[in-house]
Amino acid sequence: MQRLTALLTAALLSAGMLSAPAIAQEDASSDAAQAQAAAPATDFSDETLKQFAEASKEIASVSRDYTERLQNAEDEAAKQEVRMEANEDMVSIVEDSGLEVSTFNAIGQAIQQDPELMKRVQGMVEPQAE
């Protein structure tokens, strides 16, 4: 569960979705998962970063739906069911992008600590208007 929650946290951060991390905040174990990677690698290929960016964009979109469902859940059991379904969907998105969950999480953690890497990824997520 720690890896999956870290996955959501990384996706939300990378896609600029800091206003909607409700699912991730429900599980304090994400802090422990992030602490385990104190110095993540930052030498990811452009192809890998592009896969991350595309998966993050899709996850951010999906997470909005799950955040709304979580807020509308009637009880803790319903909330847990929404969390599990969200995690399963997000893992599928990452795997369909061609990345492993561990690689996706490593990139997510790296961009939190490296502003330049975050700019590179955001440039891959956001359409270039200029």
Side-chain angles (χ1 to χ4, degrees):
M1 187 67 132
Q2 291 175 341
R3 278 176 58 172
L4 300 180
T5 303
L7 167 72
L8 174 60
T9 303
L12 293 174
L13 289 169
S14 68
M17 295 297 301
L18 294 175
S19 61
I23 296 171
Q25 289 179 351
E26 295 292 329
D27 187 351
S29 64
S30 66
D31 291 341
Q34 290 174 356
Q36 290 176 352
T42 58
D43 58 339
F44 302 104
S45 71
D46 284 345
E47 180 181 346
T48 300
L49 292 175
K50 186 167 178 62
Q51 290 171 305
F52 175 85
E54 290 172 2
S56 295
K57 188 174 181 180
E58 190 173 344
I59 287 172
S61 175
V62 168
S63 72
R64 285 189 288 268
D65 296 334
Y66 281 110
T67 298
E68 185 176 328
R69 286 180 55 196
L70 183 65
Q71 292 170 346
N72 293 329
E74 294 183 14
D75 58 23
E76 191 56 39
K79 288 180 182 183
Q80 185 62 25
E81 186 175 321
V82 170
R83 286 185 205 106
M84 291 177 67
E85 186 179 332
N87 284 332
E88 289 172 10
D89 283 354
M90 288 181 268
V91 167
S92 293
I93 290 168
V94 169
E95 291 173 346
D96 289 348
S97 78
L99 293 176
E100 294 182 16
V101 171
S102 60
T103 302
F104 184 91
N105 285 339
I107 295 170
Q109 291 167 348
I111 66 171
Q112 292 177 49
Q113 297 177 9
D114 183 345
E116 290 302 314
L117 184 60
M118 181 176 279
K119 287 179 187 176
R120 279 178 63 196
V121 172
Q122 285 175 336
M124 294 174 180
V125 173
E126 299 169 357
Q128 299 297 325
E130 299 176 29

